[in-house]
PDB file of all heavy atoms in Angstrom:
ATOM      1  N   MET S 214       6.371   4.041  -1.327  1.00 96.00           N
ATOM      2  CA  MET S 214       5.543   3.679  -0.156  1.00 96.00           C
ATOM      3  C   MET S 214       4.319   4.541  -0.058  1.00 96.00           C
ATOM      4  O   MET S 214       3.248   4.077   0.291  1.00 96.00           O
ATOM      5  CB  MET S 214       6.413   3.834   1.101  1.00 96.00           C
ATOM      6  CG  MET S 214       7.462   2.791   1.244  1.00 96.00           C
ATOM      7  SD  MET S 214       8.279   2.930   2.822  1.00 96.00           S
ATOM      8  CE  MET S 214       9.162   4.441   2.586  1.00 96.00           C
ATOM      9  N   ALA S 218       0.991   2.373   0.152  1.00 95.00           N
ATOM     10  CA  ALA S 218       0.474   2.138   1.511  1.00 95.00           C
ATOM     11  C   ALA S 218      -0.657   3.089   1.884  1.00 95.00           C
ATOM     12  O   ALA S 218      -1.594   2.711   2.580  1.00 95.00           O
ATOM     13  CB  ALA S 218       1.600   2.309   2.549  1.00 95.00           C
ATOM     14  N   PHE S 255      -4.902  -0.754   9.841  1.00 96.00           N
ATOM     15  CA  PHE S 255      -4.256   0.490  10.214  1.00 96.00           C
ATOM     16  C   PHE S 255      -2.745   0.388  10.094  1.00 96.00           C
ATOM     17  O   PHE S 255      -2.073   1.241   9.557  1.00 96.00           O
ATOM     18  CB  PHE S 255      -4.664   0.870  11.641  1.00 96.00           C
ATOM     19  CG  PHE S 255      -4.030   2.133  12.109  1.00 96.00           C
ATOM     20  CD1 PHE S 255      -4.596   3.374  11.779  1.00 96.00           C
ATOM     21  CD2 PHE S 255      -2.907   2.143  12.905  1.00 96.00           C
ATOM     22  CE1 PHE S 255      -3.997   4.553  12.185  1.00 96.00           C
ATOM     23  CE2 PHE S 255      -2.318   3.321  13.301  1.00 96.00           C
ATOM     24  CZ  PHE S 255      -2.857   4.534  12.933  1.00 96.00           C
ATOM     25  N   TRP S 256      -2.191  -0.712  10.594  1.00 96.00           N
ATOM     26  CA  TRP S 256      -0.738  -0.814  10.634  1.00 96.00           C
ATOM     27  C   TRP S 256      -0.156  -1.222   9.314  1.00 96.00           C
ATOM     28  O   TRP S 256       1.014  -1.017   9.049  1.00 96.00           O
ATOM     29  CB  TRP S 256      -0.264  -1.765  11.734  1.00 96.00           C
ATOM     30  CG  TRP S 256      -0.440  -1.157  13.074  1.00 96.00           C
ATOM     31  CD1 TRP S 256      -1.322  -1.538  14.038  1.00 96.00           C
ATOM     32  CD2 TRP S 256       0.245  -0.014  13.597  1.00 96.00           C
ATOM     33  NE1 TRP S 256      -1.218  -0.710  15.160  1.00 96.00           N
ATOM     34  CE2 TRP S 256      -0.260   0.208  14.903  1.00 96.00           C
ATOM     35  CE3 TRP S 256       1.255   0.824  13.128  1.00 96.00           C
ATOM     36  CZ2 TRP S 256       0.190   1.267  15.703  1.00 96.00           C
ATOM     37  CZ3 TRP S 256       1.711   1.843  13.930  1.00 96.00           C
ATOM     38  CH2 TRP S 256       1.207   2.071  15.215  1.00 96.00           C
ATOM     39  N   PHE S 257      -0.986  -1.778   8.395  1.00 95.00           N
ATOM     40  CA  PHE S 257      -0.472  -2.038   7.058  1.00 95.00           C
ATOM     41  C   PHE S 257      -0.009  -0.752   6.395  1.00 95.00           C
ATOM     42  O   PHE S 257       0.954  -0.721   5.675  1.00 95.00           O
ATOM     43  CB  PHE S 257      -1.510  -2.720   6.191  1.00 95.00           C
ATOM     44  CG  PHE S 257      -0.994  -3.077   4.801  1.00 95.00           C
ATOM     45  CD1 PHE S 257      -0.286  -4.254   4.610  1.00 95.00           C
ATOM     46  CD2 PHE S 257      -1.158  -2.229   3.712  1.00 95.00           C
ATOM     47  CE1 PHE S 257       0.239  -4.586   3.375  1.00 95.00           C
ATOM     48  CE2 PHE S 257      -0.661  -2.554   2.465  1.00 95.00           C
ATOM     49  CZ  PHE S 257       0.030  -3.752   2.312  1.00 95.00           C
ATOM     50  N   TYR S 258      -0.747   0.369   6.701  1.00 96.00           N
ATOM     51  CA  TYR S 258      -0.262   1.654   6.249  1.00 96.00           C
ATOM     52  C   TYR S 258       0.773   2.200   7.207  1.00 96.00           C
ATOM     53  O   TYR S 258       1.845   2.693   6.794  1.00 96.00           O
ATOM     54  CB  TYR S 258      -1.396   2.676   6.144  1.00 96.00           C
ATOM     55  CG  TYR S 258      -0.893   4.097   6.089  1.00 96.00           C
ATOM     56  CD1 TYR S 258      -0.244   4.559   4.979  1.00 96.00           C
ATOM     57  CD2 TYR S 258      -0.969   4.940   7.214  1.00 96.00           C
ATOM     58  CE1 TYR S 258       0.262   5.840   4.909  1.00 96.00           C
ATOM     59  CE2 TYR S 258      -0.441   6.228   7.158  1.00 96.00           C
ATOM     60  CZ  TYR S 258       0.156   6.675   6.025  1.00 96.00           C
ATOM     61  OH  TYR S 258       0.677   7.918   5.970  1.00 96.00           O
ATOM     62  N   SER S 259       0.473   2.151   8.524  1.00 96.00           N
ATOM     63  CA  SER S 259       1.270   3.001   9.415  1.00 96.00           C
ATOM     64  C   SER S 259       2.656   2.497   9.624  1.00 96.00           C
ATOM     65  O   SER S 259       3.510   3.266  10.049  1.00 96.00           O
ATOM     66  CB  SER S 259       0.522   3.113  10.770  1.00 96.00           C
ATOM     67  OG  SER S 259      -0.689   3.739  10.541  1.00 96.00           O
ATOM     68  N   HIS S 260       2.903   1.205   9.329  1.00 96.00           N
ATOM     69  CA  HIS S 260       4.304   0.880   9.396  1.00 96.00           C
ATOM     70  C   HIS S 260       5.116   1.443   8.218  1.00 96.00           C
ATOM     71  O   HIS S 260       6.106   2.107   8.445  1.00 96.00           O
ATOM     72  CB  HIS S 260       4.599  -0.633   9.630  1.00 96.00           C
ATOM     73  CG  HIS S 260       6.016  -0.720   9.936  1.00 96.00           C
ATOM     74  ND1 HIS S 260       6.556  -0.436  11.175  1.00 96.00           N
ATOM     75  CD2 HIS S 260       7.097  -0.916   9.118  1.00 96.00           C
ATOM     76  CE1 HIS S 260       7.857  -0.479  11.084  1.00 96.00           C
ATOM     77  NE2 HIS S 260       8.221  -0.782   9.879  1.00 96.00           N
ATOM     78  N   PRO S 261       4.669   1.206   6.975  1.00 96.00           N
ATOM     79  CA  PRO S 261       5.373   1.910   5.893  1.00 96.00           C
ATOM     80  C   PRO S 261       5.389   3.422   6.118  1.00 96.00           C
ATOM     81  O   PRO S 261       6.357   4.114   5.722  1.00 96.00           O
ATOM     82  CB  PRO S 261       4.593   1.569   4.660  1.00 96.00           C
ATOM     83  CG  PRO S 261       4.041   0.232   4.943  1.00 96.00           C
ATOM     84  CD  PRO S 261       3.739   0.226   6.394  1.00 96.00           C
ATOM     85  N   ALA S 262       4.371   3.952   6.832  1.00 96.00           N
ATOM     86  CA  ALA S 262       4.365   5.376   7.082  1.00 96.00           C
ATOM     87  C   ALA S 262       5.587   5.823   7.884  1.00 96.00           C
ATOM     88  O   ALA S 262       6.140   6.907   7.589  1.00 96.00           O
ATOM     89  CB  ALA S 262       3.105   5.771   7.848  1.00 96.00           C
ATOM     90  N   VAL S 263       5.985   5.030   8.853  1.00 96.00           N
ATOM     91  CA  VAL S 263       7.162   5.486   9.596  1.00 96.00           C
ATOM     92  C   VAL S 263       8.415   5.451   8.750  1.00 96.00           C
ATOM     93  O   VAL S 263       9.342   6.231   8.961  1.00 96.00           O
ATOM     94  CB  VAL S 263       7.365   4.682  10.915  1.00 96.00           C
ATOM     95  CG1 VAL S 263       6.078   4.602  11.691  1.00 96.00           C
ATOM     96  CG2 VAL S 263       7.983   3.339  10.705  1.00 96.00           C
ATOM     97  N   TYR S 264       8.417   4.627   7.723  1.00 96.00           N
ATOM     98  CA  TYR S 264       9.527   4.666   6.764  1.00 96.00           C
ATOM     99  C   TYR S 264       9.409   5.811   5.787  1.00 96.00           C
ATOM    100  O   TYR S 264      10.391   6.369   5.330  1.00 96.00           O
ATOM    101  CB  TYR S 264       9.741   3.319   6.069  1.00 96.00           C
ATOM    102  CG  TYR S 264      10.206   2.299   7.045  1.00 96.00           C
ATOM    103  CD1 TYR S 264       9.329   1.478   7.733  1.00 96.00           C
ATOM    104  CD2 TYR S 264      11.570   2.229   7.361  1.00 96.00           C
ATOM    105  CE1 TYR S 264       9.779   0.588   8.669  1.00 96.00           C
ATOM    106  CE2 TYR S 264      12.015   1.351   8.318  1.00 96.00           C
ATOM    107  CZ  TYR S 264      11.145   0.535   8.979  1.00 96.00           C
ATOM    108  OH  TYR S 264      11.559  -0.346   9.932  1.00 96.00           O
ATOM    109  N   ILE S 265       8.145   6.197   5.510  1.00 96.00           N
ATOM    110  CA  ILE S 265       7.933   7.449   4.726  1.00 96.00           C
ATOM    111  C   ILE S 265       8.540   8.612   5.530  1.00 96.00           C
ATOM    112  O   ILE S 265       9.033   9.566   4.945  1.00 96.00           O
ATOM    113  CB  ILE S 265       6.451   7.659   4.475  1.00 96.00           C
ATOM    114  CG1 ILE S 265       5.898   6.605   3.543  1.00 96.00           C
ATOM    115  CG2 ILE S 265       6.202   9.040   3.898  1.00 96.00           C
ATOM    116  CD1 ILE S 265       4.401   6.678   3.352  1.00 96.00           C
ATOM    117  N   LEU S 302      10.766  -3.748   2.132  1.00 95.00           N
ATOM    118  CA  LEU S 302      10.677  -4.576   3.354  1.00 95.00           C
ATOM    119  C   LEU S 302       9.666  -3.989   4.381  1.00 95.00           C
ATOM    120  O   LEU S 302       9.128  -4.729   5.164  1.00 95.00           O
ATOM    121  CB  LEU S 302      12.073  -4.679   4.018  1.00 95.00           C
ATOM    122  CG  LEU S 302      13.036  -5.677   3.397  1.00 95.00           C
ATOM    123  CD1 LEU S 302      14.390  -5.518   4.068  1.00 95.00           C
ATOM    124  CD2 LEU S 302      12.518  -7.089   3.557  1.00 95.00           C
ATOM    125  N   SER S 303       9.485  -2.690   4.314  1.00 95.00           N
ATOM    126  CA  SER S 303       8.638  -2.057   5.319  1.00 95.00           C
ATOM    127  C   SER S 303       7.219  -2.604   5.258  1.00 95.00           C
ATOM    128  O   SER S 303       6.451  -2.454   6.183  1.00 95.00           O
ATOM    129  CB  SER S 303       8.600  -0.548   5.143  1.00 95.00           C
ATOM    130  OG  SER S 303       7.876  -0.205   3.971  1.00 95.00           O
ATOM    131  N   PHE S 304       6.823  -3.181   4.120  1.00 95.00           N
ATOM    132  CA  PHE S 304       5.465  -3.701   3.982  1.00 95.00           C
ATOM    133  C   PHE S 304       5.295  -5.046   4.660  1.00 95.00           C
ATOM    134  O   PHE S 304       4.177  -5.567   4.711  1.00 95.00           O
ATOM    135  CB  PHE S 304       5.082  -3.853   2.513  1.00 95.00           C
ATOM    136  CG  PHE S 304       4.712  -2.548   1.857  1.00 95.00           C
ATOM    137  CD1 PHE S 304       5.673  -1.830   1.206  1.00 95.00           C
ATOM    138  CD2 PHE S 304       3.455  -2.065   1.927  1.00 95.00           C
ATOM    139  CE1 PHE S 304       5.356  -0.603   0.609  1.00 95.00           C
ATOM    140  CE2 PHE S 304       3.119  -0.879   1.343  1.00 95.00           C
ATOM    141  CZ  PHE S 304       4.060  -0.145   0.696  1.00 95.00           C
ATOM    142  N   LEU S 305       6.402  -5.616   5.161  1.00 95.00           N
ATOM    143  CA  LEU S 305       6.287  -7.005   5.654  1.00 95.00           C
ATOM    144  C   LEU S 305       6.226  -7.114   7.148  1.00 95.00           C
ATOM    145  O   LEU S 305       6.204  -8.188   7.651  1.00 95.00           O
ATOM    146  CB  LEU S 305       7.508  -7.797   5.148  1.00 95.00           C
ATOM    147  CG  LEU S 305       7.724  -7.914   3.660  1.00 95.00           C
ATOM    148  CD1 LEU S 305       8.948  -8.729   3.364  1.00 95.00           C
ATOM    149  CD2 LEU S 305       6.508  -8.521   2.977  1.00 95.00           C
ATOM    150  N   VAL S 306       6.272  -6.004   7.855  1.00 95.00           N
ATOM    151  CA  VAL S 306       6.497  -6.094   9.316  1.00 95.00           C
ATOM    152  C   VAL S 306       5.431  -5.473  10.140  1.00 95.00           C
ATOM    153  O   VAL S 306       5.617  -5.311  11.371  1.00 95.00           O
ATOM    154  CB  VAL S 306       7.867  -5.463   9.697  1.00 95.00           C
ATOM    155  CG1 VAL S 306       8.965  -6.195   9.035  1.00 95.00           C
ATOM    156  CG2 VAL S 306       7.853  -4.009   9.353  1.00 95.00           C
ATOM    157  N   TRP S 307       4.266  -5.143   9.568  1.00 95.00           N
ATOM    158  CA  TRP S 307       3.328  -4.346  10.333  1.00 95.00           C
ATOM    159  C   TRP S 307       2.789  -5.020  11.611  1.00 95.00           C
ATOM    160  O   TRP S 307       2.414  -4.372  12.555  1.00 95.00           O
ATOM    161  CB  TRP S 307       2.140  -3.889   9.461  1.00 95.00           C
ATOM    162  CG  TRP S 307       1.098  -4.933   9.217  1.00 95.00           C
ATOM    163  CD1 TRP S 307       0.035  -5.226  10.008  1.00 95.00           C
ATOM    164  CD2 TRP S 307       1.018  -5.809   8.099  1.00 95.00           C
ATOM    165  NE1 TRP S 307      -0.720  -6.217   9.432  1.00 95.00           N
ATOM    166  CE2 TRP S 307      -0.149  -6.586   8.249  1.00 95.00           C
ATOM    167  CE3 TRP S 307       1.797  -5.994   6.955  1.00 95.00           C
ATOM    168  CZ2 TRP S 307      -0.540  -7.579   7.337  1.00 95.00           C
ATOM    169  CZ3 TRP S 307       1.429  -6.944   6.024  1.00 95.00           C
ATOM    170  CH2 TRP S 307       0.262  -7.703   6.228  1.00 95.00           C
ATOM    171  N   GLY S 308       2.855  -6.342  11.641  1.00 94.00           N
ATOM    172  CA  GLY S 308       2.289  -7.036  12.788  1.00 94.00           C
ATOM    173  C   GLY S 308       3.101  -6.827  14.065  1.00 94.00           C
ATOM    174  O   GLY S 308       2.636  -7.183  15.138  1.00 94.00           O
ATOM    175  N   HIS S 309       4.296  -6.217  13.965  1.00 95.00           N
ATOM    176  CA  HIS S 309       5.043  -6.065  15.199  1.00 95.00           C
ATOM    177  C   HIS S 309       4.459  -4.976  16.084  1.00 95.00           C
ATOM    178  O   HIS S 309       4.887  -4.795  17.206  1.00 95.00           O
ATOM    179  CB  HIS S 309       6.542  -5.824  14.945  1.00 95.00           C
ATOM    180  CG  HIS S 309       6.862  -4.522  14.294  1.00 95.00           C
ATOM    181  ND1 HIS S 309       7.807  -4.415  13.290  1.00 95.00           N
ATOM    182  CD2 HIS S 309       6.429  -3.246  14.451  1.00 95.00           C
ATOM    183  CE1 HIS S 309       7.925  -3.146  12.921  1.00 95.00           C
ATOM    184  NE2 HIS S 309       7.079  -2.444  13.581  1.00 95.00           N
ATOM    185  N   HIS S 310       3.466  -4.242  15.603  1.00 95.00           N
ATOM    186  CA  HIS S 310       2.736  -3.324  16.474  1.00 95.00           C
ATOM    187  C   HIS S 310       1.643  -4.062  17.214  1.00 95.00           C
ATOM    188  O   HIS S 310       0.969  -3.429  18.022  1.00 95.00           O
ATOM    189  CB  HIS S 310       2.121  -2.200  15.633  1.00 95.00           C
ATOM    190  CG  HIS S 310       3.121  -1.408  14.882  1.00 95.00           C
ATOM    191  ND1 HIS S 310       3.712  -0.281  15.398  1.00 95.00           N
ATOM    192  CD2 HIS S 310       3.667  -1.595  13.651  1.00 95.00           C
ATOM    193  CE1 HIS S 310       4.567   0.220  14.502  1.00 95.00           C
ATOM    194  NE2 HIS S 310       4.537  -0.567  13.429  1.00 95.00           N
ATOM    195  N   THR S 328      10.917  -8.499  11.234  1.00 95.00           N
ATOM    196  CA  THR S 328      11.323  -7.202  11.801  1.00 95.00           C
ATOM    197  C   THR S 328      12.841  -7.139  11.920  1.00 95.00           C
ATOM    198  O   THR S 328      13.440  -6.051  11.768  1.00 95.00           O
ATOM    199  CB  THR S 328      10.657  -6.970  13.170  1.00 95.00           C
ATOM    200  OG1 THR S 328       9.239  -7.072  12.985  1.00 95.00           O
ATOM    201  CG2 THR S 328      11.005  -5.625  13.721  1.00 95.00           C
ATOM    202  N   VAL S 331      14.390  -6.015   8.697  1.00 93.00           N
ATOM    203  CA  VAL S 331      14.187  -4.648   8.272  1.00 93.00           C
ATOM    204  C   VAL S 331      15.215  -3.691   8.873  1.00 93.00           C
ATOM    205  O   VAL S 331      15.374  -2.570   8.434  1.00 93.00           O
ATOM    206  CB  VAL S 331      12.730  -4.185   8.568  1.00 93.00           C
ATOM    207  CG1 VAL S 331      12.632  -3.578   9.931  1.00 93.00           C
ATOM    208  CG2 VAL S 331      12.236  -3.273   7.525  1.00 93.00           C
TER     209      VAL S 331
END
Side-chain angles (χ1 to χ4, degrees):
Chain S
M214 288 187 290
F255 180 82
W256 287 111
F257 184 82
Y258 163 72
S259 298
H260 190 78
V263 311
Y264 290 94
I265 293 174
L302 282 174
S303 71
F304 282 92
L305 301 180
V306 297
W307 78 87
H309 67 221
H310 299 270
T328 304
V331 90

